[in-house]
Amino acid sequence: EVQLQQSGAELGKPGTSVKLSCKVSGYNIRNTYMHWVNQRPGKGLEWIGRIDPANGNTIYAEKFKSKATLTADTSSNTAYMQLSQLKSDDTAIYFCAIRGDWYFDFWGPGTMVTVSS
Amino acid sequence: DVVLTQTPVSLSVTLGDQASISCRSSQSLEYSDGYTYLEWYLQKPGQSPQLLIYEVSNRFSGVPDRFIGSGSGTDFTLKISRVEPEDLGVYYCFQATHDPNTFGAGTKLELK
């Protein structure tokens, strides 16, 4: 059974950084792309970017290029996303998802990030 | 970036009705390999999104046949015939043809 285990809720102060994790079991992340998506309170889904864990190549949505940094550790089968220079607008649920050739196969349950002083 | 415009923003239906959601793209979503990477997801409150349709019209495993995806190029539609209680939630179209990938803004399906 494939499972994506995301790290727990984060409370970050403005201007600081947080690093979220997404540990995958039952699926080798070398064989897929790991995507990240966010959802601000009461809003829609927003694609942040993806990483190819096999080589570390990344693609970001323009607005997240200086906000998010995606990495992956194939030895622990875990993907990471660091969010920097936190602002209140970064308050959201952040989902990781595995994407095969055609669609998002599996999703994590999401990590709530709250930015507040 | 590709903009996906979903209409309507919300849809109030009676159980058993048909519902139709449109997703229009600012660019053609046909990829150079001939495939069109347009998907539909349903998100229920407090849950992660779940896949309904991929490559415009292919139902994901276990998705009832009352969900029908259609379209080509820049114009796509998701039809739900005979809406049932478990169909309520927010529907999103998503394109993976172009980088960056993008979601539509969502359509909330609710009971009248």
Side-chain angles (χ1 to χ4, degrees):
Chain A
E1 183 194 1
V2 177
Q3 289 194 332
L4 282 65
Q5 185 177 348
Q6 294 193 239
S7 45
E10 297 270 5
L11 174 59
K13 292 189 185 321
T16 64
S17 299
V18 293
K19 190 170 185 177
L20 313 184
S21 65
C22 174
K23 184 169 176 58
V24 179
S25 57
Y27 202 112
N28 189 337
I29 65 171
R30 280 184 170 273
N31 300 328
T32 189
Y33 292 94
M34 296 297 301
H35 291 239
W36 292 83
V37 172
N38 80 351
Q39 186 165 41
R40 293 183 169 83
K43 302 297 183 185
L45 302 172
E46 189 172 29
W47 188 81
I48 295 171
R50 69 168 183 269
I51 182 168
D52 181 347
N55 56 28
N57 288 346
T58 53
I59 298 280
Y60 296 92
E62 188 66 36
K63 68 180 288 189
F64 290 100
K65 281 183 178 174
S66 56
K67 171 63 62 180
T69 302
L70 305 184
T71 56
D73 177 0
T74 55
S75 66
S76 63
N77 224 36
T78 303
Y80 299 91
M81 177 172 67
Q82 178 159 317
L83 299 170
S84 61
Q85 291 297 313
L86 290 173
K87 299 187 284 195
S88 57
D89 194 42
D90 297 320
T91 293
I93 299 172
Y94 291 84
F95 296 99
C96 59
I98 287 174
R99 186 174 179 91
D101 289 336
W102 302 283
Y103 44 73
F104 289 115
D105 298 80
F106 304 99
W107 292 77
T111 295
M112 182 70 212
V113 174
T114 303
V115 181
S116 174
S117 54
Chain B
D1 297 1
V2 172
V3 176
L4 298 180
T5 302
Q6 273 187 247
T7 53
V9 172
S10 65
L11 196 47
S12 296
V13 297
T14 301
L15 294 178
D17 278 357
Q18 174 173 284
S20 182
I21 301 170
S22 168
C23 177
R24 290 204 166 129
S25 174
S26 59
Q27 299 177 36
S28 173
L29 297 184
E30 185 175 345
Y31 192 55
S32 52
D33 61 5
Y35 289 93
T36 299
Y37 296 98
L38 186 283
E39 296 134 41
W40 291 95
Y41 293 84
L42 166 61
Q43 188 181 32
K44 299 179 182 180
Q47 295 186 18
S48 304
Q50 58 188 81
L51 175 67
L52 299 172
I53 302 285
Y54 65 98
E55 288 174 14
V56 179
S57 59
N58 295 303
R59 268 186 300 274
F60 184 57
S61 173
V63 174
D65 61 8
R66 62 177 183 277
F67 289 90
I68 299 171
S70 63
S72 64
T74 61
D75 221 330
F76 304 92
T77 302
L78 176 69
K79 282 189 166 62
I80 312 162
S81 59
R82 307 180 312 277
V83 170
E84 298 194 6
E86 61 265 31
D87 301 338
L88 304 180
V90 182
Y91 289 80
Y92 296 93
C93 54
F94 173 82
Q95 69 81 20
T97 298
H98 300 284
D99 281 328
N101 300 167
T102 46
F103 284 95
T107 295
K108 186 174 185 178
L109 184 66
E110 53 194 358
L111 284 181
K112 200 173 284 185

